[in-house]
Amino acid sequence: MSKVFGFAGENDFCPGGPIYTNHKEQNHFLSIRDVYFPLRKRSRISAPFVFTEERFEQKKQASIEVLPDECLFEILRRLPGGDERSACACVSKRWLSLLSNICKDELCSQNESAKTNTQVKSEVEDEGIEGDGYLSRSLEGKKATDIRLAAIAVGTASRGGLGKLFIRGSNSSQGVTKVGLRAIARGCPSLKVLSLWNLLSVGDEGLSEIANGCHKIEKLDLSHCPAITDKGLLAIAKSCPNLTDLVIESCTNIGNEGLQAVGQHCTHLKSISIKNCPAIGDQGIAALVSSASNVLTRVKLQALNVTDVSLAVVGHYGKEVADLVLTSLSNVSERGFWVMGNGQGLKKLKSMTVTSCVGLTDTGLEAVGKGCPNLKQLYLHKCPFLSDNGLVSFAKSAVSLESLLLEECHRITQIGFFGSLLNCGANLKAASLVNCLGIKDLKLDLPELSPCSSLRSLSIRNCPGFGDGSLALVGKLCPQLQNVELSGLQGVTDAGFLPVLENCEAGLVKVNLSGCVNLSDKVVSVMTEQHGWTLEVLNLDGCRRITDSSLVAIAENCFLLSDLDVSKCATTDSGIAAMARSNQLNLQVLSVSGCSMISDKSFPDLVKLGQTLLGLNVQHCNAIRSSTVDVLVERLWRFPITGNLLEVLVSSWPPFPENTVAKFWFQLPFLSVVSGLLLEASQLFLSLYSAWKSFGKCKVSAETVDEMAAKTEN
């Protein structure tokens, strides 16, 4: 200390230099409270020295965050109720992570917390951690993260329990991983339905977490999850015995071993859908179908490397299968379908769909008809080797067939189609031809045969060879038609369609003639006179020869008509006025889209029709000004709304502002009279919100509407 006080002059201290050459001796200097220094100029330093102990020592603020995770975990698991846990989860990601990793068995009940800490009092009672699982949550795109899954696990645990979870991920680096699924597994033991789609970071560990914590899983959908292998599916099979519905799509690492485990352990499996899984072959399909032969009711196989063996197993062991879908099975030959039909196991099959299977030939289809006596629905798409002989032979065998659909089967001709109608028996109710280029008008001299009196619905779409000759046969063979759809048939004229109208005895209910450009007002006039008493839906979209005369005939005769589409027709303001003058016409949906000759003059008539309308389409009516539509919207929404939603479609027409529809939708809640009572804005808004989700016409974002709906509910 003598060196400190016994200095001789200014040279004893070096300006800016240290007092001690040994830095360890500085502690003695800092322990002195009051020290005298002579006045002198010193070198500048970055911060002042403080020589008092209280000021020199940095004060540390007390915080619960200094506790390790183990201590904080013990505190959080002793929270008295679900509301407290949800509130604490909002503090930080760390707290949310800890809360989401607390299992049900690790939670202390309210009584136990009171025993261990008598000072803790809460008026909120825990509503139960494991509920019935009636809540449903969905995450898509960038919202599919581990943090959101953790929040869902904590938030739904005490509010009835999470029952359904749908995750549609993206390729982002912050997607769902095993951490998020672990939170769901520990916090949502009531989960019954799980769908994982496009989750590249989810593998066997994440699926194993679900298997260990969610034993009530009944429906599992794994789509585009390449990291999941047989190991993860094996864990599900062993831990989830209640599995009834399994969907596997584009999971390249799931193979036969996983399906074998499912068939062995999941004894309640009812539905299986497998698509585009190259590692799955005959061994896996055979093991699964044979093990679940007594409960499996629906089988869908698409784009798999299976052969005739799989179809043979389905035909023999599919005793309970009622719905069978086979798509793009390139390795299945004619023999596979023949063996499946003769396997005598598909006695309960009711619906069968075959798409893009080159192995389906006349022989195979005939065998299916004989081996499936209860088959009611048959849908055939892109079967290039199926011809008239096979279709007629099948029709003779399938005595229970009710619905037949043929799409892009180009070897089917007029002979095969009408032959199937004549030989299908008394149960056939609906027949459809879609884009079958082999259909052409032929001069057929058919003998006097009994008509197909059971057929009620006939649909011919985009078959360019189907013309007046074919329609004349329809009129003779199908006298009990009620629903007729002739879409995109440019070869059909008045001469072909009039026999159908004249021979139809039951009365037409729904008629779709969209795209039949050669039909004129004469057809509509005859139709309304003979079938106006039953007609409910009429679609004349694109029939350019339809004029105001047709609208006048409709207004005079079609009192039950509720849906009318005259888009892109030659109708004018006079036709709209004729319908408005009718006192018995009660249209609910009217579409005049693309009618360029309808102008502002129709405004009062549209307002009058709006008293019963629930939907009005005035898109692309270039003669109607946007200001007229604005006034029309304001007038229409004042009419009573009785359980349905009035919709004005104008959003896609460029002259109208983009917010026209949004303006209409959000004006409605503030004033609406239903049955003479003024509804509260909140109740009507919620109903409009639900309808908006279905129609999707509003320009306001979904997030904004969700937020507004939540505020309204509160």
Side-chain angles (χ1 to χ4, degrees), residues 239-266:
S239 302
C240 303
N242 296 326
L243 188 66
T244 60
D245 194 328
L246 178 61
V247 177
I248 305 175
E249 179 179 347
S250 300
C251 295
T252 55
N253 290 316
I254 293 181
N256 296 325
E257 185 179 352
L259 291 187
Q260 291 174 356
V262 171
Q264 180 180 359
H265 297 282
C266 301

Side-chain angles (χ1 to χ4, degrees), residues 573 592 595-603 606 618 620-629 632 653 655-656:
D573 297 328
V592 292
C595 296
S596 58
M597 290 183 287
I598 295 180
S599 65
D600 294 340
K601 296 180 180 180
S602 296
F603 172 76
L606 291 175
V618 292
H620 310 293
C621 294
N622 298 329
I624 301 179
R625 295 176 298 177
S626 59
S627 58
T628 303
V629 174
L632 180 63
W653 185 26
F656 292 153

Side-chain angles (χ1 to χ4, degrees), residues 493-507:
T493 64
D494 295 348
F497 192 63
L498 287 177
V500 177
L501 298 176
E502 295 172 355
N503 295 324
C504 186
E505 301 173 357

Side-chain angles (χ1 to χ4, degrees), residues 520-525 528 538 540 545-556 566 571 579:
S520 66
D521 293 329
K522 184 177 181 180
V523 167
V524 178
S525 177
T528 55
L538 178 59
L540 300 172
R545 299 179 62 185
I546 299 298
T547 64
D548 293 336
S549 300
S550 296
L551 297 186
V552 173
I554 291 172
E556 293 177 352
V566 289
T571 55
M579 290 194 298

Side-chain angles (χ1 to χ4, degrees), residues 568-692:
K568 297 186 288 292
C569 294
T571 55
T572 65
D573 297 328
S574 300
I576 301 297
M579 290 194 298
R581 287 193 299 267
S582 176
N583 296 325
Q584 297 178 334
L585 189 63
N586 293 302
L587 281 179
Q588 295 183 358
V589 178
L590 174 62
S591 178
V592 292
S593 174
C595 296
S596 58
M597 290 183 287
I598 295 180
S599 65
D600 294 340
K601 296 180 180 180
S602 296
F603 172 76
D605 300 319
L606 291 175
V607 171
K608 185 176 180 180
L609 290 172
Q611 297 179 12
T612 59
L613 284 179
L614 302 178
L616 175 61
N617 187 348
V618 292
Q619 297 181 87
H620 310 293
C621 294
N622 298 329
I624 301 179
R625 295 176 298 177
S626 59
S627 58
T628 303
V629 174
D630 290 337
V631 179
L632 180 63
V633 168
E634 294 179 359
R635 293 288 298 273
L636 289 181
W637 72 265
R638 297 178 185 273
F639 289 116
I641 301 176
T642 56
N644 290 302
L645 183 65
L646 182 63
E647 179 188 14
V648 178
L649 301 179
V650 295
S651 59
S652 62
W653 185 26
F656 292 153
E658 291 185 354
N659 62 346
T660 301
V661 175
K663 176 182 177 182
F664 168 69
W665 285 85
F666 288 99
Q667 280 180 342
L668 271 173
F670 299 105
L671 181 61
S672 178
V673 180
V674 179
S675 302
L677 299 177
L678 183 63
L679 290 183
E680 295 182 1
S682 60
Q683 295 177 350
L684 185 55
F685 178 82
L686 291 178
S687 63
L688 290 176
Y689 168 67
S690 301
W692 175 88

Side-chain angles (χ1 to χ4, degrees), residues 5 14 202 251 306 325 346 410 429 434 479 525 531 597 661 695:
F5 296 101
C14 298
V202 172
C251 295
V306 297
V325 179
L346 297 176
H410 301 308
K429 298 179 180 179
V434 181
S525 177
H531 305 278
M597 290 183 287
V661 175
F695 285 102

Side-chain angles (χ1 to χ4, degrees), residues 57 290 309 367 425 547 633:
E57 294 181 358
S290 60
V309 176
T547 64
V633 168

Side-chain angles (χ1 to χ4, degrees), residues 212-243:
N212 295 331
C214 305
H215 302 295
K216 295 183 178 181
I217 290 289
E218 296 179 359
K219 296 182 180 181
L220 179 63
D221 184 354
L222 304 176
S223 300
H224 300 273
C225 299
I228 296 179
T229 67
D230 290 332
K231 183 179 179 181
L233 195 58
L234 178 62
I236 290 289
K238 290 183 177 180
S239 302
C240 303
N242 296 326
L243 188 66

